[in-house]
Amino acid sequence: APRVYDELTGRWTAGATNRDGYSWFMEYTFGDGTFALTTDTSYREEGVYEITKRYMDGSIEIHKTWGDPSTDTGQVKEYTFVILTTEDPNLIYLEGVALRRVTDE
């Protein structure tokens, strides 16, 4: 069980299929200051994150650092982005994409 809890702790998924039949999927797992991103493609991220700012509107700024495990270069990347939390603790928005928390129910 994670020792460090924040509002992101857990698994979050998003995905859809458009009218042309193209479907996509992404899943973020956050816990203990680490994260993993998997997608329907070979693209993956694994690394660490930190909540760097909390805003009055409920959005949170996150700084993530990761290496790309699908390449041998081991190149480290950094990115700062904002997640918008909602009144529903199981729904967040990342760059316009709705992610829902995976619950055990």
Side-chain angles (χ1 to χ4, degrees):
R3 292 177 301 284
V4 178
Y5 285 94
D6 57 45
E7 52 269 60
L8 295 177
T9 298
R11 275 174 52 220
W12 301 83
T13 62
T17 303
N18 69 15
R19 283 189 300 242
D20 298 328
Y22 173 76
S23 60
W24 62 273
F25 172 83
M26 67 186 290
E27 179 178 288
Y28 263 104
T29 303
F30 293 98
D32 251 354
T34 66
F35 80 93
L37 168 65
T38 56
T39 69
D40 54 294
T41 69
S42 61
Y43 184 80
R44 292 170 46 227
E45 293 175 5
E46 293 174 10
V48 295
Y49 77 97
E50 177 183 11
I51 295 176
T52 50
K53 215 176 269 183
R54 284 184 170 84
Y55 297 97
M56 296 298 288
D57 67 356
S59 55
I60 49 180
E61 183 181 275
I62 292 141
H63 183 80
K64 66 179 182 178
T65 307
W66 76 98
D68 181 354
S70 64
T71 67
D72 294 329
T73 61
Q75 184 180 9
V76 173
K77 300 174 185 167
E78 294 186 54
Y79 185 57
T80 300
F81 59 104
V82 173
I83 285 180
L84 180 61
T85 61
T86 66
E87 291 181 5
D88 180 348
N90 296 320
L91 175 66
I92 58 176
Y93 286 92
L94 168 58
E95 295 173 350
V97 175
L99 290 121
R100 295 209 165 267
R101 187 190 305 267
V102 177
T103 58
D104 294 330
E105 291 139 28

